[in-house]
């Protein structure tokens, strides 16, 4: 082992989010937050909207955070971050500000504050941990909840098959603000996620990262399957991994062998009603979701061409027992 490599191997990894928090087993959000803070490093200030991440990391009088951290209201993490960034700028300090929220506090309740932060061009990285529902308050639907998913406020029944509405295309809305950088990432591809965090941290101005983060409780799967399910979300095309610069697509993670959407759906309790025997609506909704995935693959040019070390099969992924190695 070369001397620089040896030094790196002996250097403890910085952990902005410490072990010992109270997240559920298999929580994708906890893993995502750890990866984000590891990649961002110690010279940061975090603002965190009310939600699962805030609750399970800071049960009074304890905290799992090892960097400055502020709890904001559900709706104003971006506004608080804007104020912190403005204060640091007035002091001549270059400490980076990271605002964080779940999909409820980002897609819905906090969108006005987020849009204002982007429009005013604050030097803030906003990270949305997308677990696709209001998990902390009882698994209610959000505008990020996928079409046909079951939540406590979108139950399947004789009048509908889960949520009627489409998942909001938040990245396109963010892109319409012409920010320098926006991207999507998944906890199933940690190296890709880390790279995107570091890229965002290097940019002067507002940046945005949407991280797909499975929730075993809300999605209805065993905690040991979180990474497998997250990977299938990408490999089916339902959650494309893309990068946008000034509103234009700059790069995508190609899908080497697209996986049928049913392989993603059947592993989650929130979609179990889509496999009801003899119900033609279930088949129609499965076909609808497959069409949505096919549309994403076509729209972003996700279909790969041969083997690629950076496609969905070649990129570094997490499996039980640690990162996969080839």
């Amino acid at each position: 082992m070369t001397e620089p490599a040896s030094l790196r191997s002996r250097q403890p990894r910085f952990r902005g989010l410490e072990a010992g928090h109270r997240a559920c087993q298999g929580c994708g959000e906890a893993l995502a937050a750890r990866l984000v803070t590891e990649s961002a490093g110690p010279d940061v200030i975090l603002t965190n909207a009310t939600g699962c991440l805030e609750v399970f990391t800071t049960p009074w009088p304890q905290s799992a955070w090892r960097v400055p951290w502020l709890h904001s209201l559900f709706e104003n993490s971006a506004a608080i971050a804007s104020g912190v960034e403005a204060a640091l700028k007035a002091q001549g300090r270059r400490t980076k500000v990271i605002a964080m929220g779940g999909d409820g506090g980002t897609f819905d309740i906090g969108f006005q504050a987020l849009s204002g932060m982007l429009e005013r061009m604050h030097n803030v990285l906003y990270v949305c941990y997308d677990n696709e529902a209001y998990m902390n308050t009882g698994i209610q639907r959000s505008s990020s909840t996928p079409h046909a998913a079951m939540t406590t406020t979108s139950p399947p029944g004789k009048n509908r098959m889960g949520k009627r509405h489409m998942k909001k295309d938040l990245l396109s809305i963010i892109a319409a603000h012409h920010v320098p950088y926006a991207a999507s990432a998944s906890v199933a591809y940690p190296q890709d996620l880390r790279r995107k965090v570091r890229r965002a941290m290097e940019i002067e101005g507002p940046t945005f990262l949407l991280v797909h983060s499975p929730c075993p409780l809300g999605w209805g799967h065993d905690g040991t399957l979180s990474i497998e399910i997250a990977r299938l979300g990408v490999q089916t095309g339902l959650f494309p991994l893309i990068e946008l610069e000034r509103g234009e697509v700059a790069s995508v993670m190609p899908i080497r062998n697209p996986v049928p959407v049913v392989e993603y759906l059947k592993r989650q309790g929130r979609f179990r009603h889509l496999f009801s025997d003899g119900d033609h609506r279930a088949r129609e909704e499965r076909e609808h979701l497959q069409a949505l995935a096919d549309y994403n693959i076509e729209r972003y040019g996700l279909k790969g061409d041969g083997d690629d070390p950076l496609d969905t099969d070649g990129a570094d992924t997490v499996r039980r027992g640690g990162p996969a190695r080839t």
Side-chain angles (χ1 to χ4, degrees):
M1 185 180 291
T2 64
E3 183 59 23
S6 177
L7 288 172
R8 282 196 297 271
S9 69
R10 298 197 303 269
Q11 183 179 15
R13 177 181 293 172
F14 171 75
R15 296 175 67 171
L17 177 62
E18 191 51 86
H21 54 70
R22 303 183 186 185
C24 301
Q25 291 186 346
C27 174
E29 187 174 43
L31 175 58
R34 178 174 172 179
L35 291 169
V36 167
T37 53
E38 282 180 359
S39 305
D43 189 19
V44 296
I45 296 176
L46 308 180
T47 68
N48 192 169
T50 295
C52 280
L53 184 62
E54 169 260 323
V55 170
F56 71 66
T57 60
T58 57
W60 189 89
Q62 300 165 333
S63 173
W65 298 101
R66 300 187 66 182
V67 291
W69 177 92
L70 290 82
H71 171 208
S72 71
L73 299 176
F74 213 153
E75 68 273 17
N76 68 348
S77 183
I80 299 297
S82 298
V84 173
E85 184 265 353
L88 291 170
K89 184 178 292 184
Q91 295 172 358
R93 296 173 57 187
R94 298 191 59 81
T95 297
K96 190 75 173 187
V97 181
I98 300 178
M100 301 183 297
D103 53 282
T106 305
F107 283 67
D108 299 340
I109 300 174
F111 181 74
Q112 178 177 337
L114 172 59
S115 180
M117 185 201 86
L118 300 175
E119 186 272 331
R120 295 189 301 270
M121 298 297 287
H122 287 280
N123 185 28
V124 175
L125 165 59
Y126 191 105
V127 180
C128 174
Y129 302 109
D130 185 10
N131 55 26
E132 300 186 328
Y134 289 87
M135 300 305 183
N136 182 53
T137 53
I139 316 173
Q140 297 91 358
R141 75 176 291 288
S142 76
S143 62
S144 175
T145 303
H147 174 73
M150 173 174 58
T151 71
T152 56
T153 52
S154 61
K158 64 179 182 180
N159 293 321
R160 63 181 178 186
M161 293 295 283
K163 185 191 173 196
R164 290 181 176 141
H165 313 97
M166 303 270 281
K167 180 184 175 86
K168 182 188 287 185
D169 185 4
L170 183 63
L171 271 182
S172 292
I173 300 171
I174 299 298
H177 290 75
H178 304 289
V179 296
Y181 182 80
S184 55
S186 169
V187 292
Y189 295 91
Q191 291 300 96
D192 178 70
L193 194 161
R194 289 189 179 104
R195 178 185 63 80
K196 288 170 177 172
V197 172
R198 291 192 291 266
R199 173 80 176 108
M201 294 286 289
E202 293 170 353
I203 293 172
E204 184 75 20
T207 52
F208 181 87
L209 186 60
L210 181 67
V211 186
H212 205 215
S213 308
C215 172
L217 179 65
W219 293 16
H221 63 79
D222 190 274
T224 60
L225 299 178
S226 292
I227 299 304
E228 176 185 339
I229 289 172
R231 189 181 308 118
L232 285 170
V234 175
Q235 292 175 332
T236 57
L238 284 175
F239 193 87
L241 299 189
I242 66 174
E243 293 179 282
L244 300 153
E245 296 180 0
R246 300 290 177 185
E248 300 295 330
V249 177
S251 71
V252 303
M253 179 181 284
I255 303 173
R256 185 181 302 182
N257 298 298
V259 176
V261 164
V262 292
E263 296 301 316
Y264 177 70
L265 303 178
K266 69 184 182 182
R267 288 168 168 79
Q268 303 174 58
R270 62 178 177 162
F271 294 112
R272 65 176 178 266
H273 55 287
L274 300 186
F275 296 89
S276 302
D277 292 338
D279 191 333
H280 69 91
R281 299 178 304 160
R283 174 181 53 79
E284 290 171 357
E285 294 296 6
R286 294 197 306 269
E287 292 174 352
H288 187 185
L289 289 167
Q290 182 63 63
L292 290 174
D294 294 342
Y295 170 76
N296 286 337
I297 292 172
E298 178 68 23
R299 175 186 182 186
Y300 294 113
L302 298 176
K303 183 65 175 73
D305 183 18
D307 293 354
D308 182 341
L310 296 179
D311 66 16
T312 54
D313 286 6
D316 174 36
T317 62
V318 166
R319 293 178 174 84
R320 294 200 70 188
R325 301 186 186 280
T326 57

